Amino acid sequence: MKLYLSLLCTLLLSGCSMTRNEKYADYVNPVIGTDIQRHARGDKAPSEEKGQTMPAVGVPNGMTNWVPQTLEGEHKCNPPYYYYHDEIQGFRASHWISGSCTQDYGSVTIMPVTGELKTNARERASQFSHDEETAKPYYYQVMLKDYLIHAELTGLSHAGIMRFGFQSDKDRYIIIEPNSDKQQRYLKIDAKSREVTGYNPAYRIYQGSGKSAGFSGYFVIRFEEDFDSFGTWKDSEVTTGETEIKGNKNRVGAWIKLALEKGNSIQIKVGTSFTSIENARKNLEAEIPGWNFEKVKKQSAASWEKALSQIAVKSSDEKKKTQFYTALYNARMLPRTFSDVEGYYPGFSENYTIHQAKDFTYYCDFSMWDIYRAVLPLYSILSPSLTGDFSKSFIVKGQQGGWLPIFPLWNNYTAAMIGDHGIAMMGDAILKEVPGFDYEEAYLLMRKNAFEVNTDRKSYVEGKGRRGLESYLQYHYIPLEDNVWDAFHKREQVSRTLEYAYDDFVLAQVARKLGKTDDYRTLVKRAMNYKNVIDPETGYARGRYANGEWVEPFEFDKFVDYICEGTPYHYTWYVPHDVNGLMKHIGKERFRTRLDTFFEKDYYWHGNEPGHHIPYLFALAGEAWKTQKWIHNILNREYYPTPDGLSGNDDAGQMSAWLVFSMVGFYPVCPGMPYYVIGSPGFEESIITLENGKKFKVEAKGYTEENIYIQSATLNGQPYNKCYILHEDILKGGTLSFVMGNTPNKQWASGADAMPYVTTE
């Protein structure tokens, strides 16, 4: 039997033929997505109406981001910065998961003030103007109007440096505040060493909500000059001369008074760690040993140039370059480095146990339900060495915790979202032969998640093991009677079934590659479980009871509790591994007609992830020209080079990665298979510089805003009539060339031989 694989069209960001003097990082506008969105939709307002990004300074995949703070605390769904706010409360060493609706953790904020000493975040806040603000990936500056202070930030992975220029002759203070919502924080002042050290314990949300995460955010703050005086504060009570304070359900912090005669500016360095104050100090000394702000700024800029220059795009439209490189910046921010410069990191789901990564970097904050779709496939093209470390980090988590995590955030199990997409990430890496981790070790953990029901009630509640697996194995779908109580997203039985069927398919391909024949046969059969929750009579995904009866009443376009963040119409298309089988199951003509209606009647919801692959399904149904049409419609309608320029949460870079892939010209419809479905390029030319030193070019001859339809194509000079491109062809280097026009060529890539298949017999 052959499974039609609507396969992934992975990666890559748009590559542009830019002049030698142009800098990629300067095209990035980090405030895109920080405002209320102009094209938000869905039922998740108000959280889904914001991009939830931030103007973060640092390096790609850094441990800590250096961010202006307009919103205090570490509350769920509150990023440090919103564009529509008009006051800055300080500058934060942040671990916010960019684009998310989670929460910051282990963070600390530093705020300069003049005149009266004010410690409360809202009281000390200063007015600012966006006209006096500069945000780049490597540098942020703003004028604090209330205090006449020019503030500047730059930083690297574990350490940052701030420079405050004072234009007032009033008293000068620096306020330091750890941001724990649990008020369990600690600070110590060492005036002799010009240091303030401390920690901010991290706490879990979702599964295990409110419990210790088993580590803290540690920091060492070092000043360029001696203190004039100092003290601590607790809530509204300020104490002079006190050197140590610990919060116990109180807001606490430290204050430093600077000497007026020492000049008009001061520099402050911050080292961070998740293991200890001493390692935070080592991280600081390793990354920023001196007091040269401009040197650190150049290092940060160079790091971003290296990452962003991997895709060079050719376009006369400067706004499109801004959109593209900002999206690439957002897509290269996470997962987060979690290990120190010497490799130390807190054990996964352990209580303050320290390990050392000796031959890899340990990463965390995998917003897996989001990023398996496009962010991680993008890395598999641009930086497979990082993909190897991501996978090795996942193996370490599974070995330390006993189960492969589903959605690991703040170094713990969460069971926050559905699916089992660690399998998608590692399976994709194995099938693309990414080096850097042990495939057999990975398989053992993936197999355990897929085959074993966690009968240990305590650990299951903590988030270990697939949710609803017992029902899934018994009925070959999750019936409506199983409410899946032990999860953050409860119920959602149909969506879970569909996502498990996909994960089982990916694991089946890994089993076949590794010679696990019996497992392969079992898993590839389970991959067909999607048919058990897509009603062939109505042609829609639909809730089903244990006795086989379909839920009544049924409305295909309503948000219902058996679907995750969408409607049955949205999830009907979630069969990325067997698009041909789905067409046969509901009828090919009905499939095509329904897909047309889905877009023409505006049912499509781009602001949330489950539908991101859907516009590429036209190509897999033999109508590639419709994919070309709707991709450009989405690009023009859902993305703007402005603060309100995202139509939903960026979710750790997934919205941005979709844009990167789609503007380059292809997309990973089915991560876990080494193919990418071709869409329609958004640039005249994109050149991808691969980690192996080779280059892969996508060119669109005759491309304009009107000429979006592919007339013909060649791959390395040979005629090309397929709707997909192989991962191996990208890694070999070469040129995929399109001739573009303003009318559809309905014959291009329309035949059965143009479609990607995979044998499952």
Side-chain angles (χ1 to χ4, degrees), residues 14 38-39 319-320 323-324 327 599 604 606 615-616 627-641 645-647 655-667 679-683 703 705 708:
S14 157
R38 70 172 71 177
H39 195 73
K319 290 183 179 179
K320 288 180 67 175
Q323 286 179 268
F324 180 80
F599 285 92
Y604 179 68
H606 190 71
Y616 287 90
T627 287
Q628 296 156 27
K629 170 187 173 180
W630 288 111
I631 290 300
H632 282 278
N633 177 280
I634 295 166
L635 286 169
N636 292 332
R637 185 181 70 169
E638 309 276 348
Y639 296 91
Y640 303 91
L646 290 178
S647 62
M655 287 281 291
S656 292
W658 189 95
L659 180 143
V660 167
F661 267 114
S662 295
M663 293 188 84
V664 170
F666 50 90
Y667 186 80
S680 175
F683 293 111
Y703 168 79
E705 290 299 311
I708 62 171

Side-chain angles (χ1 to χ4, degrees), residues 28 30 54-68 91-94 134-141 152-162 293 296-301 304 329 333 336:
V28 176
M54 59 182 174
V57 171
V59 297
N61 305 99
M63 172 180 281
T64 303
N65 299 120
W66 312 94
V67 189
F91 303 93
R92 185 185 295 195
S94 173
T134 301
K136 298 292 181 184
Y138 56 88
Y139 175 69
Y140 177 88
Q141 72 83 29
E152 299 174 277
L153 306 179
T154 190
L156 302 174
S157 177
H158 303 80
I161 185 168
M162 306 177 185
F293 184 95
V296 179
K297 180 180 173 182
K298 288 180 181 178
Q299 288 177 286
S300 177
W304 278 110
Y329 154 82
M333 198 171 292
R336 181 188 318 286

Side-chain angles (χ1 to χ4, degrees), residues 385-400:
S385 61
L386 276 177
T387 301
D389 275 6
F390 295 161
S391 297
K392 188 158 189 175
S393 298
F394 239 74
I395 291 172
V396 165
K397 296 177 200 302
Q399 291 173 337
Q400 291 175 357

